[in-house]
Amino acid sequence: MKRIDGRKPDELRPLVIKAGVINQADGSAMVKLGNTTAVAAVYGPRLLHPKHLQEPDRAYLRTVYSMVPFSTYERVKPGPSRRSIEICKVTRHALEPAIFLEEFPKTVIDVFIDIIEADAGTRTAGINAASVALADAGIPMKGLVSAVAVGKINDTYILDLNGKEEEETFCDMPVAYINRTKEVSLLQMDGKIDKKDIKELLKLALKGCEIIYEEQKKALKNRWIGD
Amino acid sequence: MEFQYQYLLDLVSKGKRPDGRKPDEYRDINIETGVIFKAEGSAKVSIGETQVLAGVKLGIGQPYPDKPDEGVLITGAEFSPVASPEFEAGPPDEDAIELARVVDRGIRESEAIDMKKLFIDEENV
Amino acid sequence: MMVVMSELKKKNREFVIPGDEIIRSMDYIPGKNCFREGESIYAKRLGLVEITGRVVSVIPLSGVYIPRVGDMVIGRIEELQVNGWLVDINSPCIAYLPFSGVREYIDPVKVDPLKIYNVGDMIYAKVASMVGKVSVTLSMLDPRARKFKTGRILKISPVKIPRLIGKRGSMINLLKEKARCKISVGQNGLVWAEGEKIDVIVKVIKLIEKESHVEGLTDMIAELLEKEGS
C-alpha cells in the first residue's frame, strides 16, 4: 500500500536531528520529522523557586510544551491550551524514568519544547528533541528516550503519521521507548482497535524508535566530536 | 557585574569592546525567509547569538466597526523560555507586550501594508 | 587479569552518550558518571571513556558545577542575611558565607557587613563544608581567598576547568607567562584575569571549549600562545 506521500507503511518521514542549537541553554536540540519541527532547550539542574515545589530527595523535572502561533494551518492562540497541558504532563512522564533525578535534590531540571512547525507527531518530536537536549546538557541518564506515533489505515499499520494521515487513521498511538532498557515510557491510544492490533502497532513503533535512536546518537556525536 | 563595569569603561575609552569589535561594528546578521512550512510567510533573523523567528498567518474575520473597509493586523511576541535562562514560561510579560506593540506600530505607521487591500467584499467571502 | 576483548564495548577516550554500554564484566567497577546494571557498566553522562585499572569512568563534556569541599570558587555576593551572605556560585546549590568565615571581625551592631562585602562584589572563596548536595558553606580564611577589585571575569564550562589548569598546573602557568596576566581559576567555571593580554586567555578558553576532546589540544594551545604571547 502506498501512502499519501509515497512512503512504505514502515517508513519514517525524512528525519533531521541537530544538537546544541541554542547557545544560551545548558543543552538543546532540534528535531525535524517531515514537516514537524520541535526545538527543545534544557536549563539545569538549577535552584527551584518557589521552595514548596522542591522535592527533598530528587530533582523536579519541569517540562513545558508550547506551539508557536504560526506552526499550524489555523493560527494557534498563544498560551497553554488544555491539549498542551496534557502533553506537558505526558512528556514529563515519558522522560522521568530515564533520568537520575536523585542526584540533584531540591533542584529543577527545566525542559522547554517549542513546536515551530506542526504536521502531526508533535509530542513525539518534542520528546525526541528533549531527550537529546538532556544528554547534551550533561544530565545523568539511564538512556535516551525515543518516540514515534503509529496508526492504522484500512488494514495497514503505518509508522509516523503525517497531518493528513492523522485525519484518516483508525487510531493514533504515540509511543516513547528507552531503547537501552527496552522500556516503554509513554503509550497513548486514540481510536478503536483490538488486541492483535496493539501488539503489531507496538512492534512497528519500537522499530521506528530504534531508527530514531540511531539518529539521536549521531546528532550528539556530531555536535561534540564532529565528523 | 559591578567591578567589570570599570573594566568595560577602560576598554571603551580605548575604543575597544570585549568581543574585539569596533564601536560601530555589528555582529553577524543572518536573514532567511520561507522557513516555516505552515505559515503563509515567515522569516528567521539572527544578530550575533540572538535569534528571532517570525511568522504570518492569514485568516478571515470581521473588520473593526470603526474601520469597516479595512483588514485587521494583530501582532504578538513571545520571549520563549527556550531562548534564555532568564525567560520564564507563561503569558507574555511586559517586555514581550511592549515589543509586540512597538513592532505593530512600526508596521502600521509605515503603511507598508495597505489595510484596505485586506478587505474582502461580503459577496466574495 | 586480562580483559577478554569481546567484553569491552568502548575504547579509552571514546565518545559515549548516556546509556552506552562500556564493558560487560564483573571484574570492573563503575567510577565517575558510570553505573552498573547486571553484568555491564554503562555511561551515565555524555563524555569520554576513561579506564584506569579496574575503574571505568566517563569524563563529562558538559554539565553544571557540583561543589566539592576544598574547591576554590568565584562567587557573587547576592544578599545579606542575619549571620552572613548568600553567594551565587553558578551552581544549583545555596552557598553561604558566614561572618565566622571572614578574616575581618564583624560586629553587626557596630559595622555594616555590606561595607566588607557588598551585593554585587565578586569573591574568590573556598568551599569549606557541605550539608548534603545543596547546602554549601564558604570561607574566606584560605590565604588565596580575596575580593576582586579590578580585572575581568571569564566563563568556561566547569567540566573543562581541569584542562585549563593542566597537569600540575602546567597549562595555567604557561598561560600566565605568555599572556602576562594574573589568573585565578574557580572550579565552578569562572576565571579571573588581570594583565596585558586578556584576549589571549579568551582565545585559549574558546579553544578548550571547542576542542577539549581532541588529543593534540595542548600543542594547539602552545602554538596559539607562541603566536600571540610575549
Side-chain angles (χ1 to χ4, degrees):
Chain A
M1 173 203 119
K2 265 274 173 79
R3 296 160 73 172
I4 300 173
D5 56 4
R7 278 186 289 155
K8 296 201 279 298
D10 63 352
E11 204 179 322
L12 287 171
R13 287 174 286 179
L15 175 62
V16 177
I17 306 185
K18 280 207 186 103
V21 294
I22 306 276
N23 263 321
Q24 293 269 32
D26 294 322
S28 58
M30 180 214 70
V31 167
K32 194 164 153 66
L33 188 50
N35 286 317
T36 293
T37 306
V39 175
V42 167
Y43 291 94
R46 50 185 183 176
L47 282 178
L48 176 54
H49 298 288
K51 269 208 168 139
H52 69 259
L53 285 179
Q54 286 179 4
E55 294 184 49
D57 58 343
R58 70 216 292 264
Y60 172 56
L61 182 67
R62 183 161 58 187
T63 47
V64 179
Y65 162 102
S66 150
M67 289 180 75
V68 152
F70 44 84
S71 59
T72 52
Y73 276 128
E74 287 295 318
R75 169 184 173 265
V76 179
K77 230 176 90 175
S81 63
R82 288 160 64 81
R83 174 181 172 274
S84 68
I85 293 175
E86 175 212 335
I87 295 179
C88 287
K89 179 167 197 278
V90 303
T91 300
R92 184 174 83 244
H93 286 306
L95 296 169
E96 270 181 348
I99 305 173
F100 284 99
L101 294 170
E102 326 79 62
E103 301 214 352
F104 306 104
K106 300 200 180 165
T107 64
V108 60
I109 298 174
D110 272 317
V111 178
F112 299 116
I113 300 167
D114 271 346
I115 303 297
I116 59 180
E117 289 184 296
D119 191 27
T122 58
R123 82 188 63 190
T124 53
I127 291 171
N128 288 323
S131 185
V132 174
L134 285 162
D136 190 47
I139 307 276
M141 296 169 77
K142 300 171 191 166
L144 295 187
V145 183
S146 317
V148 78
V150 285
K152 182 178 169 195
I153 291 185
N154 298 324
D155 284 315
T156 315
Y157 302 118
I158 47 175
L159 175 66
D160 183 24
L161 312 173
N162 65 24
K164 293 229 156 61
E165 289 173 330
E166 204 183 34
E167 290 163 27
E168 308 281 332
T169 184
F170 287 11
C171 79
D172 181 6
M173 191 164 117
V175 177
Y177 183 57
I178 306 175
N179 274 270
R180 203 224 6 118
T181 60
K182 304 210 184 329
E183 292 172 303
V184 171
S185 59
L186 166 74
L187 182 60
Q188 290 183 291
M189 205 283 287
D190 187 8
K192 202 161 144 176
I193 51 174
D194 56 42
K195 259 211 309 217
K196 161 176 91 69
D197 288 330
I198 295 213
K199 259 183 122 177
E200 293 305 309
L201 284 168
L202 201 52
K203 244 182 26 196
L204 183 58
L206 298 196
K207 200 168 143 208
C209 286
E210 278 167 31
I211 301 173
I212 292 176
Y213 181 46
E214 291 306 311
E215 290 306 309
Q216 288 172 306
K217 288 200 278 193
K218 269 196 213 139
L220 286 166
K221 189 162 186 196
N222 267 334
R223 141 92 162 123
W224 288 97
I225 302 288
D227 272 314
Chain B
M1 297 185 199
E2 288 73 349
F3 85 93
Q4 298 235 98
Y5 184 59
Q6 192 57 48
Y7 170 78
L8 282 173
L9 279 186
D10 289 339
L11 261 192
V12 166
S13 67
K14 293 188 201 132
K16 292 190 179 166
R17 297 165 77 174
D19 61 359
R21 279 185 291 150
K22 295 200 269 303
D24 63 351
E25 204 179 323
Y26 247 99
R27 291 174 287 177
D28 285 336
I29 300 176
N30 226 294
I31 303 177
E32 277 176 77
T33 55
V35 291
I36 304 286
F37 151 77
K38 288 222 168 126
E40 278 72 66
S42 58
K44 178 164 176 249
V45 175
S46 61
I47 299 179
E49 300 288 355
T50 296
Q51 297 186 56
V52 177
L53 200 52
V56 174
K57 295 295 302 170
L58 300 177
I60 297 189
Q62 292 270 31
Y64 290 133
D66 59 337
K67 295 222 166 100
D69 60 346
E70 283 186 15
V72 170
L73 172 72
I74 304 175
T75 313
E78 284 174 33
F79 286 18
S80 170
V82 161
S84 164
E86 314 292 322
F87 297 164
E88 285 177 12
D93 69 353
E94 57 183 18
D95 292 327
I97 291 174
E98 181 198 22
L99 179 69
R101 290 171 63 82
V102 167
V103 169
D104 183 278
R105 290 197 293 268
I107 298 173
R108 223 180 272 280
E109 301 302 321
S110 73
E111 297 185 337
I113 302 175
D114 183 350
M115 299 302 283
K116 293 212 172 8
K117 286 234 177 104
L118 294 178
F119 174 75
I120 310 172
D121 237 326
E122 282 218 43
E123 308 138 21
N124 296 328
V125 171
Chain C
M1 171 169 250
M2 268 242 301
V3 182
V4 177
M5 283 328 265
S6 61
E7 293 177 334
L8 185 64
K9 308 282 178 185
K10 298 280 178 188
K11 300 193 298 283
N12 216 3
R13 291 201 64 83
E14 194 169 337
F15 175 76
V16 285
I17 61 149
D20 272 349
E21 187 185 10
I22 302 177
I23 190 167
R24 182 170 304 177
S25 164
M26 297 306 293
D27 296 318
Y28 285 71
I29 48 174
K32 288 205 193 87
N33 305 307
C34 287
F35 64 102
R36 172 177 283 290
E37 219 175 81
E39 298 222 329
S40 301
I41 295 179
Y42 300 90
K44 248 191 214 181
R45 282 167 75 173
L46 182 146
L48 303 178
V49 173
E50 185 183 66
I51 302 180
T52 336
R54 296 275 176 90
V55 182
V56 178
S57 305
V58 167
I59 304 176
L61 290 173
S62 65
V64 296
Y65 168 64
I66 304 295
R68 286 168 313 188
V69 173
D71 280 353
M72 292 300 293
V73 295
I74 295 179
R76 181 185 183 277
I77 303 284
E78 292 285 296
E79 199 183 298
L80 178 64
Q81 302 213 312
V82 181
N83 285 311
W85 300 264
L86 274 182
V87 183
D88 175 0
I89 59 169
N90 191 36
S91 172
C93 70
I94 302 173
Y96 193 69
L97 174 63
F99 292 152
S100 56
V102 163
R103 285 189 210 110
E104 300 88 329
Y105 173 69
I106 299 182
D107 178 351
V109 175
K110 301 211 179 103
V111 175
D112 179 4
L114 288 175
K115 291 243 163 27
I116 307 199
Y117 297 125
N118 199 0
V119 173
D121 280 348
M122 303 296 293
I123 58 171
Y124 196 41
K126 184 165 180 181
V127 176
S129 65
M130 286 177 68
V131 177
K133 292 183 180 175
V134 191
S135 203
V136 169
T137 305
L138 299 172
S139 157
M140 297 297 281
L141 300 175
D142 188 286
R144 294 165 291 177
R146 65 192 192 283
K147 175 167 84 171
F148 294 120
K149 300 215 179 78
T150 51
R152 184 165 168 201
I153 291 189
L154 307 164
K155 268 190 150 172
I156 186 175
S157 174
V159 299
K160 309 280 163 94
I161 290 284
R163 265 313 202 150
L164 182 63
I165 295 178
K167 282 207 186 82
R168 284 182 281 273
S170 52
M171 177 65 67
I172 197 73
N173 288 331
L174 183 64
L175 209 47
K176 284 179 188 171
E177 187 197 313
K178 294 287 179 180
R180 285 201 285 269
C181 280
K182 284 189 275 195
I183 307 176
S184 293
V185 176
Q187 292 290 332
N188 58 339
L190 295 176
V191 178
W192 173 87
E194 182 177 48
E196 273 187 47
K197 300 199 173 172
I198 296 191
D199 47 310
V200 172
I201 303 177
V202 172
K203 287 198 178 119
V204 170
I205 286 179
K206 269 210 182 95
L207 197 58
I208 294 177
E209 291 266 41
K210 234 181 95 193
E211 313 269 2
S212 69
H213 56 275
V214 165
E215 283 286 354
L217 179 64
T218 319
D219 297 328
M220 273 194 240
I221 297 179
E223 225 180 279
L224 175 79
L225 290 174
E226 276 312 310
K227 224 173 49 160
E228 307 261 354
S230 299

